[in-house]
Amino acid sequence: MLVYRFLSGEDDSSFCHKITKALAEGWSLHGNPTYAYDAHAKKMRCGQAVTRAVPDQPYDPNKKLVDY
C-alpha cells in the first residue's frame, strides 16, 4: 500500500525541518511543492506531498498516517 500525506506550513525553516524529518522517516517527495500567499496572516504558505510504501498493512482510516 502507498500512504500519502500532505505537509503544509509557513514558508520558513520549520517547514523545511518538517519535510526533512519526513524524509528521514522513510517518506518520499511526491510532486512539486506548492506556494500560496495567506492574505489573512500576510505570510507565504507552502506544502509538499509525501508518500511511503507500506507492505502488508491494510488501510485503516482510524490510524494516523504518521503511524504507518
Side-chain angles (χ1 to χ4, degrees):
M1 174 176 70
L2 190 64
V3 181
Y4 172 93
R5 292 172 58 198
F6 185 78
L7 304 174
S8 62
E10 188 176 329
D11 186 12
D12 60 12
S13 65
S14 67
F15 178 75
C16 294
H17 285 284
K18 186 186 292 189
I19 298 299
T20 301
K21 181 176 186 273
L23 294 173
E25 293 173 345
W27 295 85
S28 299
L29 298 177
H30 180 79
N32 295 321
T34 60
Y35 297 93
Y37 182 69
D38 181 345
H40 180 72
K42 297 183 172 41
K43 295 181 180 185
M44 288 299 293
R45 302 280 181 192
C46 50
Q48 174 66 56
V50 293
T51 60
R52 179 166 46 186
V54 182
D56 304 324
Q57 289 191 36
Y59 174 67
D60 179 356
N62 296 314
K63 188 174 182 178
K64 291 183 179 182
L65 296 174
V66 299
D67 292 336
Y68 278 101

